Amino acid sequence: MRTDLFLAQAKQNLKEATWRQMALLISLGLNLLLGVAAWQREIVIHLPPAASSEAMVIAERSTNQETKIAHGLYLAGLLGNVAPNNAAFIEQSVGRFVTPRAFKTYLGAIQQQVSKIRDEQLSTHFQATEASYDPETDQVSVSGLLTTRGVTEIEQRDYRTFLFRFVTRDHQTLLDELRIVDEQTRLAAAPNA
């Protein structure tokens, strides 16, 4: 009698297991369909305005001009405000926003600047006065006053313009090209008060 009870229980368990397996397979199939649909959908991220009166938009492969200007202001602020104690932080922060193609070129130049700032105990302060975007060249221009101070208590002032070109990859805005233009005609040396 026990064998009959055991075989009946085994048949019942086998029927329940079959239904569970079918439910699991249906669930797995639906998850695969949702995964494919999510993979093919273009995601657009709308950011609230940070330093802008317009909305900032980042898609998978493109950004609007407000986003590029905001990134340009951020990077100009990092590159223009360097002191011996924050140079390593700035080097790491800028390195996260550089494309692989531009990584060696610009990071090498930044590392040379960082070494010079540490060796000569310099500090720089950049105050942006103007930021613009040129759609024809796809270039962001951030201009302002750069003040450099050293241990000699003399400060040097330059009018500096940072020219950035950005690309967007996988919803991330990356620096692809950087040029720095100094206007030496606005150079002034004055003792620090």
Side-chain angles (χ1 to χ4, degrees), residues 6-17:
F6 176 75
L7 288 175
Q9 185 69 27
K11 276 185 176 181
Q12 182 66 24
N13 287 344
L14 187 60
K15 284 182 184 178
E16 287 177 14

Side-chain angles (χ1 to χ4, degrees), residues 75-83 113 117 122-129 142-149 154-162 180-184 186-189:
L75 288 175
L78 282 176
L79 295 170
N81 294 293
V82 184
Q113 283 289 95
I117 285 170
L122 298 174
S123 64
T124 62
H125 174 72
F126 179 74
Q127 183 177 359
T129 57
V142 179
S143 301
L145 183 64
L146 178 73
T147 306
T148 306
R149 292 184 188 94
I154 293 178
E155 70 180 32
Q156 176 180 338
R157 294 183 179 174
D158 293 314
Y159 191 77
R160 176 167 281 185
T161 301
F162 292 95
I180 299 173
V181 179
D182 287 331
E183 291 186 37
Q184 299 296 329
R186 299 185 186 196
L187 178 66

Side-chain angles (χ1 to χ4, degrees), residues 102-115:
F103 187 80
K104 290 182 181 179
T105 305
Y106 300 120
L107 227 49
I110 289 170
Q111 288 171 343
Q112 288 176 350
Q113 283 289 95
V114 165
S115 295

Side-chain angles (χ1 to χ4, degrees), residues 25-45:
L25 285 173
I26 290 170
S27 175
L28 181 64
L30 289 174
N31 282 333
L32 284 173
L33 284 174
L34 288 173
V36 168
W39 181 261
Q40 292 179 348
R41 190 181 104 206
E42 179 165 346
I43 298 171
V44 177
I45 300 170

Side-chain angles (χ1 to χ4, degrees), residues 75-93:
L75 288 175
L78 282 176
L79 295 170
N81 294 293
V82 184
N85 59 349
N86 72 354
F89 166 77
I90 290 172
E91 182 180 353
Q92 288 175 343
S93 297

